[in-house]
Amino acid sequence: MKLFFASIIALTLFLSCLPNAAQDKAKEHFKKDLLGRINKLRSEGCHCGSVYMPPAPPLTWNDLLEKAANEHAGDMFVRQYFSHMSKEGLSPKDRVVDAGYGLKGYKGYMVGENIAQGQMSVAEVMDGWIKSPEHCRNLMTAGFKEVGVARAGNYWVQDFGMRTPFSAREKALIKSGRIRIIPEKHSGY
């Protein structure tokens, strides 16, 4: 009897893992598809409206930027609005900092965001962003090094970031007290 119940428990645990494995696989495909399309565009360069944007280095996926994008996409979906500013007045910069993608420990910092609503596929949303000069410029900005993207229903958020670390020499000067870091005042967007 114990063997029977142990078998049932083992089977239940195994079956409960299947949806998670399928979700993980779908999430990895989503990331790979988006990052592949972004980096293909960046490697070729393109016109963003009337402005030519030369090829740019590839982006890497950042889970903190994805977290910020996911929270904003989910919020817009649940609360049915479409804006870079949340209903509480939080900007893209506020959201990525809240997600843990902050300036502390870095000497350079930059963030950007694309949003979309209504597209039903990665190909469709990327096509829309490329056709919009402002969104296209975000996609092609050479200064951005990382990206995280999320979708909730038909709401999409693409957060870009760049953080430049201090060099070993700069870290030594900071540690010795010969250079002092003055914290940035949180100014929003």
Side-chain angles (χ1 to χ4, degrees):
M1 191 65 143
K2 285 184 181 179
L3 183 59
F4 174 75
F5 285 118
S7 297
I8 296 294
I9 291 170
L11 181 61
T12 303
L13 288 173
F14 172 75
L15 292 176
S16 70
C17 291
L18 290 179
N20 290 338
Q23 286 175 347
D24 289 346
K25 189 174 181 179
K27 184 177 178 180
E28 283 308 310
H29 177 73
F30 176 80
K31 287 171 148 180
K32 186 177 178 182
D33 190 15
L34 266 163
L35 199 53
R37 289 172 189 270
I38 293 166
N39 286 333
K40 182 179 185 306
L41 177 72
R42 287 173 69 89
S43 73
E44 296 170 350
C46 68
H47 280 87
C48 295
S50 61
V51 176
Y52 177 72
M53 301 292 289
L59 297 178
T60 58
W61 194 269
N62 183 284
D63 291 336
L64 296 173
L65 292 173
E66 178 189 11
K67 178 182 176 189
N70 190 52
E71 289 174 5
H72 189 50
D75 187 52
M76 288 191 297
F77 175 72
V78 168
R79 297 167 72 186
Q80 294 294 294
Y81 71 98
F82 183 69
S83 175
H84 287 285
M85 298 298 284
S86 74
K87 293 223 175 187
E88 292 74 32
L90 296 176
S91 70
K93 181 180 177 183
D94 295 327
R95 290 190 298 275
V96 300
V97 168
D98 288 348
Y101 192 88
L103 177 60
K104 187 174 182 179
Y106 296 90
K107 68 177 177 180
Y109 181 79
M110 181 170 72
V111 297
E113 183 176 81
N114 286 344
I115 59 175
Q117 179 186 13
Q119 295 81 358
M120 298 309 293
S121 70
V122 169
E124 197 178 338
V125 77
M126 282 296 297
D127 187 53
W129 281 330
I130 292 166
K131 288 179 179 175
S132 163
E134 295 82 16
H135 294 102
C136 180
R137 282 194 294 275
N138 271 345
L139 283 162
M140 293 302 299
T141 297
F144 290 133
K145 306 295 182 206
E146 300 172 304
V147 67
V149 186
R151 175 185 179 187
N154 65 352
Y155 289 83
W156 300 76
V157 178
Q158 183 177 55
D159 284 330
F160 300 93
M162 177 281 298
R163 297 184 290 186
T164 306
F166 290 101
S167 69
R169 185 178 188 296
E170 291 166 330
K171 287 178 185 177
L173 289 170
I174 293 166
K175 189 173 182 178
S176 73
R178 292 178 33 205
I179 292 180
R180 193 174 70 125
I181 304 299
I182 300 170
E184 173 191 42
K185 291 183 180 177
H186 196 42
S187 60
Y189 192 44

